Amino acid sequence: MAKQLFLGDEAIAQAALDAGLSGVYAYPGTPSTEITEYIQHSKQAANGNVHREWASNEKTALEAAIGMSYAGKRAMACMKHVGLNVAADPFMNVAITGANGGLVILVADDPSMHSSQDEQDSRFFAKFAFIPVFEPSNQQEAYDMTYEAFDYSEKYRIPVMIRITTRLAHSRAGVEQRPARPQNEINLHPNKKQFILLPALARKYYNELLDKQIPMEAESENSKYNKFIEGKDKSLGIITSGIAYNYLMENYVETTCPYPVLKINQYPLPVKMITKLVDECDSVLVLEEGYPLIEEQLRGLLNRGGNIKGRLDGTISRVGELNPNMVGSALGIKQEEGSPIPEIVAPRPPALCVACPHIDSYIALNEAMVEHGEGKVFADIGCYTLGALPPYNAIYSTVDMGASITMAKGAADAGLRPTVGVIGDSTFTHSGITSLLDCVWDKTPVTIMILDNSTTGMTGGQDSHAFGKIETICLGLGVEKEHIRIIKPLKNRHAENVQVIKEELAYEGVSVIIPTRECIQTLNKRVREKSK
Amino acid sequence: MKIDIILAGVGGQGILSIASIIGYAAVKKGLYLKQAEVHGMSQRGGDVQSNFRLADYPIASDLIPKGKADLIISVEPMEALRYLPWLSKDGMLITNDQPFININNYPDESVLKAELDKLPRKVVINADQVAKDLGSVRSANMVILGAASPFINMDFSALENAVSEVFARKGEEVVNVNLACLQAGREFAEKNK
Ligand SMILES: Cc1ncc(C[n+]2csc(CCOP(=O)(O)OP(=O)(O)O)c2C)c(N)n1
Ligand code: SF4
């Protein structure tokens, strides 16, 4: 078959389909979103009736994937790194129940925080849970490793994490496909108690999980994805993980790397291979796209040998993604550079789109808040986070999805008045509903603005589970009907909107204001598609 | 053979269509290709770039090292300058001269021009005007690709075929106007390089 040009994300999606996937479960999050979108647009997925609707959040996504695996079919849950925090509970515990049908948990990390709040490295989570990791270094490996991950998962009855980072997720290259395999039939686990984590059973399964580490480590030693490349110059040995290998090789395009190299793409770590490298080299440079996971273990707290180099001793920057120049400099190879960026070049930060409904919401909110002073508006994650920037300077927090409402609550509990939570519709159904229930239960004086633009704007306009339901959800949670106020964020409604916000700020109880107007981008897209 | 290209512009200006056309032509020729894109916040008027690498041998890094890009192809003049550290000493810069101003501190036209004038190898073209004259304001990106085409080691006909294929589902009229823009850009570059 001819090579297809695939993003790393697309290679993973296609591989999962070819491996007989029966369901993908995900909540959007850069840089993982395109995996599910690819499957949603795939004819192969439609023909196979593969489950491909978005989930409310990463926890519900992973739990549904576990359920599909329970039934014996192959399932994949996809998320960005911070999504794994939300899904941490099922993640830690499914390691102990194990999988039945092949279960792959795809996590896309974002070192350098191109579009994230942090740059956490999901390999630490996998190690914590004793879950094996496949960490491809290129698009072809992304395809091949995903294809094989389902077999591995079924062989060891364990979920497999595939860990990628932004550069692989969002870079295209030619990929060769393998023949498609049929989906599994429904087939329950022979042990009908395998998914019951009562303490007595959980202790047994936990020991089994620990026992699995031994053969899994042997798999890593023999894996074709972990390679020991001999080198004559033993003054240095190099360990790379994931795409760090490419940046190393970029520095040896015209020459060959003189040092022995251990290319690691599969975990648990191949301890024998590492021992060989460390034993035969005077010092070791560890190149990892992410936190220093391998380096930290090799070095230990004291680095008594003093010969392990990497992010911890400053050979490589402690933070951020790698690039060929950083790696070249670490190796003492002189790096070229073009001319500097002229001073006149100004930054061009992303901004809310012209005519975005959030603009009118913020202008109205700012006016209503003038008399109350600064520091009282807690926001969340989405396009509206850009309200933190000029000209709005409207919000004072954005921590994690759903935190706006609960932080406004905590600050109100502390005595701050008034406090406002600003949250998007999709973020509200992701993890704001329980926060609002806490406010209602406590009768906390907070004003919550749920910005309803009918979509998940930030990640490119995916359907929002909140669509058409926000008011009913709030009523169901027990918010008083007269304190649920729907407004239309438009310039010509400004005065009345300010008035509504002021009235609710004055109320000593839970108020919800729902500014409702569609995202301009999805509106335009709908109009364009209609005119076709 | 290798060509490393930085594609630059502002979200929504169509740099990814430029990439997909060169990519299409490259895959047809059986070349190796890597193309790192920026996704995520790009629709909102921020700067966007793509690292586009072609070679007749397998390519290691998705990112182009500094000082190694053969071409900067930009649909916006200030954005072209943002990537100068990546341009090699004898690299070529091809850019639209029409600014996209959505920030308060956008440089004056004259200083911007002075910076572009300093560069030894460049093609600076009013792609918006050329595209408008040919009847499709939205095809300025194809004018730019045409202007870059003499410096991409590939037959012009391969690029033309790629334009025809990539735009085919939008109809013959769209294909033709984009081909005309590509041609006009190329002619300008041949005369002004
Ligand atoms: C746990 C977690 N999952 C996913 C994301 C990625 N993400 C950031 S904002 C957002 C959606 C925002 O949608 P909405 O709340 O409707 O606001 P809008 O962008 O439409 O204004 C998503 C999915 C994240 N930051 N954290
Ligand atoms: S994508 Fe939609 S919600 Fe986001 S800034 Fe643009 S108009 Fe606003």
Side-chain angles (χ1 to χ4, degrees):
Chain A
M1 203 183 280
K3 282 190 181 178
Q4 299 276 343
L5 257 194
F6 280 141
L7 291 175
D9 275 353
E10 294 170 346
I12 286 163
Q14 184 58 50
L17 290 172
D18 292 341
L21 184 79
S22 295
V24 66
Y25 293 89
Y27 181 73
T30 315
S32 70
T33 311
E34 291 82 355
I35 301 170
T36 305
E37 289 185 331
Y38 179 94
I39 294 174
Q40 288 173 340
H41 295 131
S42 152
K43 270 212 188 99
Q44 188 180 344
N47 291 341
N49 200 20
V50 174
H51 175 276
R52 54 196 186 282
E53 285 292 330
W54 292 109
S56 287
N57 65 39
E58 293 84 356
K59 179 174 182 284
T60 64
L62 178 52
E63 289 159 350
I66 297 170
M68 185 168 269
S69 163
Y70 172 96
K73 297 204 176 184
R74 294 186 160 189
M76 179 161 75
C78 304
M79 60 202 72
K80 69 182 292 171
H81 56 345
V82 286
L84 186 54
N85 301 337
V86 177
D89 202 1
F91 181 77
M92 293 302 294
N93 290 305
V94 73
I96 298 176
T97 64
N100 181 34
L103 177 61
V104 169
I105 302 165
L106 182 294
V107 193
D109 291 354
D110 188 20
S112 281
M113 308 179 219
H114 296 285
S115 35
S116 308
Q117 322 90 289
D118 70 32
E119 59 171 21
Q120 66 190 61
D121 185 330
S122 300
R123 295 176 303 160
F124 275 84
F125 243 127
K127 184 169 181 294
F128 187 22
F130 299 100
I131 284 177
V133 181
F134 287 7
E135 192 191 10
S137 72
N138 59 43
Q139 292 77 355
Q140 185 66 54
E141 279 183 359
Y143 181 92
D144 293 334
M145 295 185 95
T146 306
Y147 192 90
E148 292 166 26
F150 290 94
D151 291 334
Y152 188 109
S153 169
E154 286 172 5
K155 179 171 174 191
Y156 291 99
R157 291 194 181 272
I158 194 163
V160 175
M161 175 191 284
I162 298 180
R163 186 241 184 190
I164 56 169
T165 53
T166 306
R167 286 307 158 188
L168 179 55
H170 287 169
S171 177
R172 264 172 231 284
V175 171
E176 217 164 302
Q177 261 176 261
R178 300 195 198 174
R181 168 196 179 283
Q183 294 181 30
N184 291 353
E185 298 297 325
I186 285 189
N187 180 19
L188 300 189
H189 198 288
N191 174 8
K192 295 292 171 292
K193 295 190 170 145
Q194 186 64 40
F195 287 80
I196 303 177
L197 292 185
L198 277 170
L201 292 169
R203 278 180 214 116
K204 177 166 172 282
Y205 301 153
Y206 178 52
N207 277 307
E208 287 170 6
L209 170 64
L210 296 179
D211 290 344
K212 285 178 197 171
Q213 304 301 309
I214 296 161
M216 292 195 316
E217 192 178 308
E219 290 269 355
S220 296
E221 302 284 0
N222 298 316
S223 164
K224 59 177 180 283
Y225 301 110
N226 290 337
K227 273 194 204 119
F228 196 105
I229 304 152
E230 301 289 346
K232 282 213 179 76
D233 185 346
K234 314 271 192 219
S235 62
L236 184 72
I238 302 171
I239 297 178
T240 66
S241 81
I243 65 170
Y245 178 76
N246 308 341
Y247 300 139
L248 174 66
M249 287 303 133
E250 188 64 34
N251 281 281
Y252 295 105
V253 173
E254 278 139 41
T255 51
T256 11
C257 178
Y259 313 113
V261 176
L262 175 55
K263 172 180 189 265
I264 295 180
N265 295 101
Q266 185 176 325
Y267 308 68
L269 286 170
V271 177
K272 285 193 195 122
M273 291 174 112
I274 294 176
T275 312
K276 174 170 150 61
L277 187 89
V278 173
D279 282 352
E280 72 181 37
C281 298
D282 301 339
S283 61
V284 174
L285 173 65
V286 190
L287 301 172
E288 296 175 83
E289 181 76 321
Y291 288 5
L293 173 110
I294 302 173
E295 184 186 347
E296 206 168 86
Q297 292 180 78
L298 277 187
R299 179 187 203 270
L301 203 51
L302 304 179
N303 194 19
R304 278 277 162 78
N307 58 353
I308 307 295
K309 301 180 195 313
R311 289 193 189 263
L312 292 171
D313 72 339
T315 304
I316 294 272
S317 163
R318 181 67 184 74
V319 298
E321 66 176 340
L322 299 174
N323 61 47
N325 299 103
M326 279 165 79
V327 171
S329 301
L331 288 161
I333 299 170
K334 195 176 168 295
Q335 300 294 302
E336 286 171 45
E337 190 150 337
S339 45
I341 306 174
E343 263 170 39
I344 57 155
V345 174
R348 206 189 289 260
L352 291 169
C353 303
V354 175
C356 170
H358 299 335
I359 294 176
D360 298 295
S361 295
Y362 276 133
I363 291 175
L365 175 63
N366 275 352
E367 189 170 324
M369 288 303 291
V370 168
E371 60 191 281
H372 301 293
E374 297 181 342
K376 294 174 178 169
V377 180
F378 302 85
D380 229 293
I381 308 196
C383 287
Y384 52 93
T385 308
L386 295 170
L389 305 178
Y392 316 105
N393 302 315
I395 63 172
Y396 298 90
S397 79
T398 166
V399 178
D400 67 275
M401 290 187 77
S404 56
I405 298 178
T406 4
M407 281 181 69
K409 178 187 192 309
D413 291 345
L416 196 69
R417 292 286 186 284
T419 65
V420 179
V422 178
I423 188 166
D425 53 342
S426 182
T427 304
F428 179 64
T429 41
H430 176 285
S431 39
I433 298 176
T434 45
S435 306
L436 187 56
L437 185 58
D438 281 356
C439 298
V440 172
W441 176 259
D442 266 7
K443 300 193 175 59
T444 319
V446 288
T447 303
I448 306 304
M449 289 179 75
I450 305 175
L451 308 183
D452 186 1
N453 60 357
S454 310
T455 192
T456 318
M458 180 83 167
T459 42
Q462 295 77 16
D463 290 343
S464 163
H465 281 20
F467 188 72
K469 287 197 208 71
I470 296 180
E471 191 185 357
T472 329
I473 292 172
C474 294
L475 279 171
L477 292 174
V479 182
E480 297 154 283
K481 195 167 176 35
E482 54 281 21
H483 292 288
I484 300 177
R485 311 286 298 269
I486 296 171
I487 62 174
K488 189 143 195 161
L490 278 173
K491 246 199 201 113
N492 60 15
R493 302 274 185 93
H494 176 74
E496 53 184 289
N497 291 346
V498 174
Q499 185 55 34
V500 169
I501 299 172
K502 282 187 170 173
E503 284 167 21
E504 296 310 324
L505 287 174
Y507 176 60
E508 270 285 310
V510 181
S511 311
V512 174
I513 301 167
I514 312 173
T516 307
R517 177 156 75 80
E518 188 176 355
C519 159
I520 288 296
Q521 295 288 347
T522 54
L523 179 71
N524 287 345
K525 199 164 144 204
R526 255 186 330 112
V527 171
R528 270 202 311 274
E529 270 160 19
K530 229 187 194 165
S531 71
K532 258 186 208 163
Chain B
M1 184 288 269
K2 73 107 187 166
I3 309 174
D4 287 330
I5 307 173
I6 304 258
L7 293 161
V10 178
Q13 283 191 310
I15 69 162
L16 291 183
S17 338
I18 299 184
S20 59
I21 285 159
I22 314 176
Y24 188 93
V27 169
K28 281 257 150 143
K29 278 190 80 173
L31 294 172
Y32 290 94
L33 176 160
K34 279 205 171 185
Q35 185 206 334
E37 301 170 359
V38 175
H39 291 206
M41 312 250 263
S42 51
Q43 61 185 248
R44 290 168 207 82
D47 53 280
V48 292
Q49 49 79 17
S50 170
N51 279 219
F52 193 98
R53 316 194 70 189
L54 280 178
D56 54 11
Y57 52 84
I59 300 162
S61 162
D62 297 86
L63 296 175
I64 300 170
K66 284 189 176 162
K68 298 276 171 133
D70 304 290
L71 299 175
I72 291 176
I73 303 179
S74 179
V75 273
E76 207 280 346
M78 185 181 81
E79 292 308 321
L81 298 173
R82 200 184 293 283
Y83 303 99
L84 287 182
W86 278 265
L87 191 63
S88 79
K89 292 280 180 273
D90 48 5
M92 182 88 188
L93 182 140
I94 296 101
T95 185
N96 192 357
D97 72 1
Q98 294 299 296
F100 184 96
I101 304 178
N102 61 349
I103 48 174
N104 296 330
N105 50 346
Y106 194 93
D108 281 346
E109 208 176 320
S110 56
V111 265
L112 192 57
K113 187 168 178 306
E115 284 295 343
L116 286 169
D117 283 345
K118 284 187 199 162
L119 299 169
R121 300 190 64 216
K122 60 185 173 289
V123 174
V124 182
I125 176 171
N126 184 341
D128 292 13
Q129 189 62 50
V130 175
K132 200 171 156 203
D133 292 346
L134 291 169
S136 169
V137 201
R138 292 188 52 209
S139 302
N141 57 347
M142 288 302 113
V143 177
I144 295 294
L145 174 57
S149 64
F151 316 103
I152 302 174
N153 197 349
M154 215 181 262
D155 293 341
F156 189 58
S157 60
L159 287 176
E160 285 181 319
N161 286 340
V163 168
S164 306
E165 290 293 331
V166 171
F167 288 107
R169 59 189 174 85
K170 297 195 173 165
E172 200 176 339
E173 214 173 300
V174 176
V175 169
N176 287 338
V177 81
N178 278 295
L179 284 173
C181 286
L182 190 75
Q183 179 67 36
R186 185 176 177 94
E187 280 166 17
F188 180 91
E190 296 286 10
K191 269 186 239 139
N192 296 283
K193 65 182 172 189

